Amino acid sequence: MSEIRESVHGQWSSRWAFVLAATGSAVGLGNIWKFPYITGENGGGAFVLVYLVCIAIIGIPIMMAEIMLGRRGRQSPMNTMRTLALEAGSTPHWAWLGWMGVLAGFLILSYYSVIAGWALAYVFRTGIGTFDGQTADGVAHIFQSFLADPEGLLFWHTLFMVMTMLVVARGVSGGLEKAVKFLMPGLFVILLILLGYALSTDGFGEGVTFLFKPDFDALLFKVGEDGVKIWNPGPVLTALGHAFFTLSLGMGAIMIYGSYLPSNASIARTTFIIAGADTAVALLAGMVIFPIVFANGLEPSAGPGLLFQSLPLAFGHMPWGAFFGTLFFILLVFAAWSSSISLIEPAVTWLVENHGMDRLKASVVMGIACWAFGLLTVFSFNVWSDVRLLPMFETFADKSIFDLLDYLTANIMLPLGGLLIAIFAGWVMRTEATRDELDMGEGLAYRLWLALVRFVTPVAVIVVFLHAIEIINVG
Ligand code: TRP
């Protein structure tokens, strides 16, 4: 029955087109901007190790499940979930999973676009030589005054949102599919060049040690006021959440991309390629950024500005720095661009399917709404930097609007979505259906996958959640 279902939104031209698009979705700001800064905030090596374990035992099986659901349902996540649930004799309420995903994608894009706007702005700054010969203080100062100017941030956020909607309106299997083919390898090459520079700094050893030498004390405990160590499960949840974020999982993006996948492509092999490329880019970014951080006496825990306060130092001092810097930020913008379209694609397909809108109108409607919501993030870096939306919760009391949005989406909504996807694929769908769709035979590989989605993912997500929620005390 699944063979005859076709997506009304089209199909990828080949398995490779899907791999490219899904890699384009996975590799983005999450790898180059977010991974280094949360690693720096959470003490380095042990955090990286937990993140890698989460990718291997949770991210990969969930990605396979999500692609599988998408390809079997071939509709927007809500309609796919409803169809497949009815097919399995379960309740149509599973469509709510699709709704939560649409909301998560919307919220993420609202701040993702603002940060991508920073990258856009830095294309020009690097290009005109703003960072030539700058000191660490100078670079930090430039970044701070950039953040302090809401109109500037608004301009770049607007530009990026318009770029995103232009592609979404034309359909994702159009031009971007081709662009990703050149841009991803380009990004990889420029990171290798920067790695060469990082090797030449005297911070390389320290940077790599920070990134790969696990210190579980730094991960699991924080030091309280009187010097006593307090158990702190937050960073483990952040690592888990980031595994979902970086692979674009838990909200239907990969599901909707899977719905355009030809029926004969191997889901497992495809998943390994995407997850491998994504992890490689993140680790490479860390190996470039931390040596520069240590060589210049910067703080690894500088937060969201880490990338923008460290790399410009390299561009200001290396040969051809302005050239490589401009190229780097251009590629970063493209990586963000190919990610952002997947954040809004589920919402747009739903407007097309259920409200009879054409793609252009649906894109404009969603784009404007998301842009407006993004103003919260724009202002959270300047005029509203002291605003706290949920001061009554300990976990949220010190979080700006941007930090709160990031926490709610990456640490709560995506793992929750992933948990439900695992339960659906492992327990609700009949094993004949999943075995048929994954097409891995009945051997060890299939049984391993089934055990991971049935037991490992649900238990891991629930345990980490329960621990983290313990610290969400009303107080
Ligand atoms: N994975 C992207 C990144 O690392 C961001 C992203 C795109 C995403 N689509 C998503 C995150 C869907 C969560 C869900 O930059």
Side-chain angles (χ1 to χ4, degrees):
M1 174 173 174
S2 61
E3 275 70 38
I4 52 165
R5 210 174 281 139
E6 267 181 34
S7 172
V8 296
H9 311 282
Q11 206 179 75
W12 303 113
S13 50
S14 68
R15 176 171 84 101
W16 273 107
F18 169 77
V19 170
L20 287 169
T23 308
S25 164
V27 176
L29 295 173
N31 307 61
I32 295 171
W33 159 76
K34 191 174 179 190
F35 170 72
Y37 99 71
I38 58 177
T39 298
E41 282 180 338
N42 293 295
F47 178 84
V48 175
L49 193 64
V50 174
Y51 152 80
L52 290 175
V53 170
C54 288
I55 295 281
I57 66 170
I58 299 175
I60 287 177
I62 296 292
M63 182 178 278
M64 290 174 60
E66 227 183 276
I67 299 173
M68 174 189 80
L69 296 180
R71 190 168 72 177
R72 216 168 165 83
R74 295 231 188 266
Q75 300 155 72
S76 68
M78 296 82 146
N79 292 332
T80 283
M81 290 311 295
R82 180 180 297 111
T83 309
L84 295 183
L86 291 174
E87 206 170 271
S90 182
T91 133
H93 289 309
W94 278 101
W96 280 100
L97 176 57
W99 279 108
M100 189 179 69
V102 164
L103 180 64
F106 179 88
L107 295 177
I108 295 175
L109 182 57
S110 80
Y111 68 78
Y112 203 85
S113 166
V114 176
I115 313 291
W118 298 0
L120 264 175
Y122 269 60
V123 169
F124 296 95
R125 292 181 171 228
T126 328
I128 59 173
T130 309
F131 303 109
D132 290 348
Q134 278 289 349
T135 59
D137 281 346
V139 169
H141 182 76
I142 292 171
F143 181 69
Q144 251 103 46
S145 29
F146 172 63
L147 282 197
D149 167 26
E151 279 153 38
L153 296 190
L154 186 59
F155 172 79
W156 297 110
H157 162 55
T158 310
L159 184 59
F160 186 80
M161 199 59 95
V162 169
M163 286 165 55
T164 300
M165 291 311 146
L166 281 177
V167 176
V168 175
R170 294 185 50 213
V172 285
S173 54
L176 212 80
E177 186 185 298
K178 295 188 194 77
V180 170
K181 209 179 309 189
F182 302 102
L183 298 167
M184 286 297 141
L187 186 65
F188 208 77
V189 169
I190 197 137
L191 281 172
L192 287 178
I193 294 171
L194 290 174
L195 183 65
Y197 173 80
L199 263 167
S200 76
T201 66
D202 53 13
F204 191 74
E206 204 179 338
V208 170
T209 307
F210 180 78
L211 199 57
F212 293 112
K213 187 159 178 255
D215 171 358
F216 281 96
D217 260 19
L219 183 76
L220 297 174
F221 298 97
K222 61 182 172 199
V223 182
E225 282 149 25
D226 33 12
V228 284
K229 287 206 293 187
I230 313 172
W231 163 241
N232 177 24
V236 175
L237 177 61
T238 304
L240 174 74
H242 189 63
F244 284 98
F245 187 93
T246 193
L247 293 177
S248 304
L249 299 177
M251 55 71 68
I254 291 294
M255 199 185 291
I256 197 81
Y257 276 18
S259 76
Y260 312 146
L261 182 67
S263 311
N264 54 2
S266 155
I267 291 182
R269 220 168 323 139
T270 310
T271 298
F272 282 117
I273 298 172
I274 301 165
D278 187 78
T279 309
V281 171
L283 294 179
L284 208 47
M287 281 166 32
V288 167
I289 288 175
F290 286 109
I292 297 170
V293 165
F294 288 113
N296 292 284
L298 305 174
E299 277 302 324
S301 59
L306 187 68
L307 168 75
F308 296 89
Q309 294 177 352
S310 56
L311 283 193
L313 276 170
F315 301 135
H317 293 98
M318 66 193 268
W320 291 76
F323 171 74
F324 286 128
T326 313
L327 200 56
F328 170 82
F329 282 113
I330 288 177
L331 291 169
L332 182 62
V333 167
F334 272 100
W337 199 2
S338 59
S339 299
S340 62
I341 55 175
S342 73
L343 284 162
I344 206 70
E345 179 71 7
V348 169
T349 48
W350 174 75
L351 283 181
V352 171
E353 281 170 19
N354 289 38
H355 289 270
M357 281 190 196
D358 58 39
R359 258 196 106 85
L360 177 64
K361 189 159 169 223
S363 309
V364 171
V365 168
M366 287 314 300
I368 291 177
C370 204
W371 171 85
F373 209 82
L375 297 180
L376 285 175
T377 298
V378 166
F379 297 133
S380 104
F381 289 105
N382 36 68
V383 286
W384 290 347
S385 58
D386 295 327
V387 172
R388 299 291 175 266
L389 291 183
L390 298 172
M392 56 293 216
F393 296 106
E394 209 181 301
T395 313
F396 303 136
D398 59 348
K399 286 193 165 40
S400 67
I401 303 175
F402 159 73
D403 288 329
L404 182 67
L405 278 174
D406 175 47
Y407 192 94
L408 287 178
T409 51
N411 291 22
I412 297 180
M413 296 174 88
L414 299 181
L416 202 59
L419 172 68
L420 293 172
I421 288 168
I423 292 175
F424 189 84
W427 297 100
V428 176
M429 278 180 86
R430 284 173 297 116
T431 46
E432 300 87 73
T434 54
R435 202 182 300 127
D436 165 48
E437 197 67 42
L438 289 174
D439 200 18
M440 305 194 287
E442 294 184 34
L444 191 63
Y446 175 73
R447 273 181 285 148
L448 181 63
W449 172 81
L450 196 61
L452 289 171
V453 292
R454 276 195 168 170
F455 303 106
V456 176
T457 300
V459 170
V461 173
I462 290 171
V463 168
V464 175
F465 259 147
L466 288 183
H467 276 291
I469 280 165
E470 199 194 23
I471 58 167
I472 309 182
N473 297 319
V474 183

